[in-house]
Amino acid sequence: IKKQQQDVLGFLEANKIEFEEKDIAANEENRKWMRENVPEDSRPASGNPLPPRLFNDSRYLGDYEAFFEARENNAVYAFLGLTAPPGSKVGVRISHSKP
């Protein structure tokens, strides 16, 4: 989990994408908010959703796997719901498979 979180944060920082990090380990309110805002169809079959989970305000975007796939397809800005800066590679579709 830590490596995935660092991967997401490193990408956002390197691309100067503003973000707010919510620590769910040290803050029960953040943990409760995340659990309540991950859609039912994106939750694990048992247990609670694990980080990293990405949101744009309160709109759920996806987990690390969805982020990674968007990055591989040069579609991170679309995945994040942001307009890509001029000159960046932008994909127009995000596809992923659910287990």
Side-chain angles (χ1 to χ4, degrees):
I1 291 174
K2 184 79 170 164
K3 183 178 179 340
Q4 292 177 350
Q5 290 173 174
Q6 290 173 333
D7 190 27
V8 171
L9 294 175
F11 180 88
L12 297 174
E13 290 169 350
N15 288 280
K16 297 180 172 70
I17 297 172
E18 284 187 40
F19 65 92
E20 180 181 354
E21 187 177 0
K22 300 274 188 172
D23 185 352
I24 65 165
N27 186 309
E28 179 61 34
E29 188 175 311
N30 287 342
R31 184 172 31 250
K32 182 180 177 194
W33 186 91
M34 184 192 78
R35 289 177 181 164
E36 290 173 352
N37 286 281
V38 171
E40 200 67 40
D41 64 345
S42 296
R43 296 179 187 194
S46 63
N48 291 308
L50 297 174
R53 299 290 172 142
L54 290 92
F55 296 84
N56 186 334
D57 290 324
S58 61
R59 184 171 60 91
Y60 180 70
L61 303 174
D63 60 7
Y64 176 77
E65 186 177 303
F67 170 81
F68 181 81
E69 188 161 328
R71 191 176 69 188
E72 290 295 304
N73 291 322
N74 293 318
V76 173
Y77 288 95
F79 171 78
L80 296 173
L82 302 173
T83 302
S88 65
K89 293 182 180 178
V90 180
V92 293
R93 84 183 154 86
I94 302 169
S95 60
H96 59 89
S97 59
K98 293 185 179 181

